[in-house]
Amino acid sequence: MINKSLKQLGQALAAKDISSVELTTLFLDRIARHNPELNAFISVDRDRSLAQARAADARLASASVAQPAAPLTGIPIAQKDLFCTTGWKTTCGSKMLADFVSPYDAAVIAKLRDEAGMVTLGKTNMDEFAMGSSNETSWFGPVKNPWDMAHVSGGSSGGSAAAVAARLAPAATGTDTGGSIRQPAAFCNLTGLKPTYGVVSRYGMIAFASSLDQGGPLATSAEDCALLLNAMSGFDARDSTSLDRPPEDYARALEKPLNGLRIGLPKEFFNDGCEPAVMAAVEAAIAEYRKLGATTVDISLPNSHLAVPAYYVIAPAEASSNLARFDGLRYGYRAPDYDGLDDLYMKTRAQGFGAEVKRRVLIGAYVLSHGYYDAYYLQAQRIRRLIAGDFAAAFTSCDVIIGPTSPTTAFKLGERTADLVKMYLSDIYTIAVNLAGLPAMSIPCGFADGLPTGLQLIGNYFDEARLLNAAHRYQMTTGWHERMPEGI
Amino acid sequence: MKWEVVIGIETHAQLATVSKIFSGAATAFGAEPNTQASVVDLALPGVLPVLNRKAVDCAIRFGLAVGAKVAEKSVFARKNYFYPDLPKGYQISQFELPVVQGGGLTVQVGGGDAAYEKTIRLTRAHLEEDAGKSLHEDFHGKSGIDLNRAGTPLLEIVSEPDMRSSDEAVAYARALHGLVRWIGICDGNMQEGSFRCDANVSVRPVGQAAFGTRREIKNLNSFRFLKEAIDYEVQWQINEIEEGRAIAQATVLFDPDRGETRMMRSKEDAHDYRYFPDPDLLPLVIGADWLERVRGELPELPQQKRERFQRELGLSAYDAATLTASQEVAAYFEATVAVAGAAQAKPCANWVMVDLAARLNKEGRDIANAPVQPAQLGGLIQRIADNTLSNNIAKKVFEALWNGEGATADAVIEQQGLRQITDSGAIEALVDEVLAANPGNVAEFRAGKEKAFNALVGQVMKAAKGKANPQQVNALLKKKLAG
């Protein structure tokens, strides 16, 4: 059961080969056994998960041919711990919210449970407030990579990625602000999808950088991601940036042959910034695509080198404001001793936030300050428009852009915590996508020194179905995505 | 040295929407603390704002009413600062691109012969959310926070520094107060804080082009305080300068008990609000359709009504301004004229502005609850016009109507026998009687004492129980005394 796709699990549940309670128990047992070492989950509540599983079983029991249950009914899923959940704590990986229980459910949580009938397995570890690329900024400790316990699982959705890679969950939710779904997917041999900005509701997703954040699925295959996106997406009037578009079936084009698909290869992604072993895997994948009938075209994204600097202005600026609500007054951590209001604010935030969060809040406050706003924030917004323009120009000559997801495989725990620029460059290929608001995926494309490598596919706005199609056809012929870490 | 006062006013008008500007929670005043605060108002993690269209309608109404440009695209921005009654740690406001740009308000300053009209230009008006309230009583050394008000929609209306006296400032504030109520976007309740003014005050030597350094007086919630605060502040600034001290830019509070302004914070303490466009909200785009719909829903505006009253009814600018102070007053006046006839517009204006206003004031009622209906007053004025009533008797009839002693003026006149005597034969008989009975007064008058004439008029009116037509009495007396 732990190696079945979501489609297969759905069929098994519908056929009563297994119940949701049995399936959920199976994964809860695996979590109990392996999580102490992996640290992928922050909160697990067996009784609550099993209660949801019983509800799903009741739905399955009352389903009929005329009125079948939703396709994912009864399948367990792990939720990144920045989606607000009633019942489970929602910590966002921070001491600030270490004991916070939300009185309401995020849109994604409610949709997956109430509409799709899925079962929440627990809440997964993450970089504090999603600020990190290695899951090492979590107040709850780093997550280990199931492929090699000495290595990071990536970030910020590192807990979700490790959980699915170790098959502690069949799938998980993640969020991606600068690569936080795609980079951990690449590091853990998973398929991850960051949708077009506005496709998945941000209501109830604790904001890091509002104009960049987007929820999406982490799973073992493109097909699973398509099914999950069907369940997660949709207009939500509570999110003003949610897009009011007719619902679509993201799995509709999975099987379409790739003949005539034009793949753009940006020269800026194929330089010596990428480790040769990773590049070799990417080149092999491109060769495979040519075999599948795709053509390749050399393109340029000339402002790519500006993406990381622009991102590290815009994201901290928004974060500095988004995180102002964590002041110790209404919920969350409050410093035990303080002298007056200002001292309460300062001590609470000094003690409640970790170093990376504080660093970004400071950077953000700085770039928005009087006298610096034009030079930093406005300049970064101009770069953002240039980057979006680069992609728009590129998509006139290609359908999908391909390159590496990350310049390296999963690095060692602790290796980059002292070298932040190197840490930030881990997202050098993923960040531009968020600045432009485009959909993108990372899919497994081989191994380097025993660690997985990721291939990034970037699509035009609302082209998720085409990306999933390109990913699925590749996965049908290669099988990298079916590889599992040993020993778990 | 002669000093010129320069005043600009920022006004926060709470918009009369049912729900908040970015959440579905109710905006009603006076509920138990924190019972009207949704997850959005509490700024729980993960919540997002959604703009209330009705608040935008209000802003458009205002923009159209003051002849401003309603921006096709305006942007919500975050104003960042920490305070316990600001749950998100930022206020959603508009900064660089406000929804209403420019416009102006023509106001009537002063009364009587000294009255004059002045147009105060507006800089802008923008939408924003109100903060909650900090409650410092009843918590034994702690402060309580009530977030019911958090997220209540506000329109912040900013004037140009066009006012040159506290009277002009009050005239502007009153006209603005009248306008926002007139167009139905704000209930204008100043006690409850629905309409509050900040005054930016500076002084400069007469003739100097550059403005002096201003100080901002915060949160003035009555017209009286606005005037007192400005008058105090102006005198204080003049004294400072004349004693050789420079004015430093500052924010001050007015203490109504002591009649003084006192320092709240200096420019050095001013916040850097780190404004930036709110990424949770898209730019507000107001198309021609939206604009035209709201334009179609607007009532006749006070300025238009004022001009019409002057043009069609021949009222003075002062009367027209007074009668358009609120929709209620204007409606009452127009309904009175509808009965009395347009030719009686001036007496109608006087009755509404003087007699009715005084009577309402005495009982602390507002015009909507006047016991005398406009049709009743119009009927009364008709009886004055056709000489059935003298002005004095008319006041008695008005009082009777006020006390519910009759349904119409005619009914009161009939029941109480108040019809004016206009039969010249009957009046002549009374005049003859009085002249015969008061030879002393007659002699005095003939000796040149004008006062004696008034005494004789009084005697005739007394004999007629006040009902004789005064003009006829005057004319007959003059004729007889001359003869």
Side-chain angles (χ1 to χ4, degrees), chain B residues 200-241:
Chain B
N200 282 294
V201 179
S202 65
V203 298
R204 63 181 168 187
V206 170
Q208 178 184 305
F211 289 129
T213 303
R214 67 189 153 87
R215 304 211 310 164
E216 182 179 21
I217 316 170
K218 278 280 187 200
N219 266 331
L220 296 160
N221 66 352
S222 84
F223 299 123
R224 187 162 68 88
F225 293 165
L226 177 64
K227 182 165 169 54
E228 289 175 8
I230 292 171
D231 287 341
Y232 176 86
E233 177 65 23
V234 165
Q235 205 47 56
W236 184 87
Q237 289 189 15
I238 292 171
N239 289 346
E240 288 290 294
I241 298 169

Side-chain angles (χ1 to χ4, degrees), chain A residues 84 100 103-104 202-206 210 237-238 240 321-322 324-325 329-331 341 345 365 368-370 373 377, chain B residues 39 42-50 78 80 82-84 87-90 147 272 274-277 279-282:
Chain A
C84 285
F100 176 71
Y104 76 100
R202 292 189 297 116
Y203 188 78
M205 246 175 71
I206 298 178
S210 312
R238 296 167 301 178
S240 303
S321 179
N322 284 333
R325 67 190 60 199
L329 293 188
R330 295 168 309 286
Y331 50 78
L341 182 64
Y345 285 145
L368 291 175
S369 296
H370 187 72
Y373 180 83
Y377 183 79
Chain B
V39 292
L42 292 168
L44 287 177
V47 297
L48 296 169
V50 178
R78 294 184 182 179
N80 296 285
F82 286 94
Y83 204 69
K88 293 189 295 296
Y90 58 86
L147 295 176
D272 179 351
R274 291 174 278 118
Y275 280 101
F276 75 106
D280 287 332
L281 291 161
L282 303 176

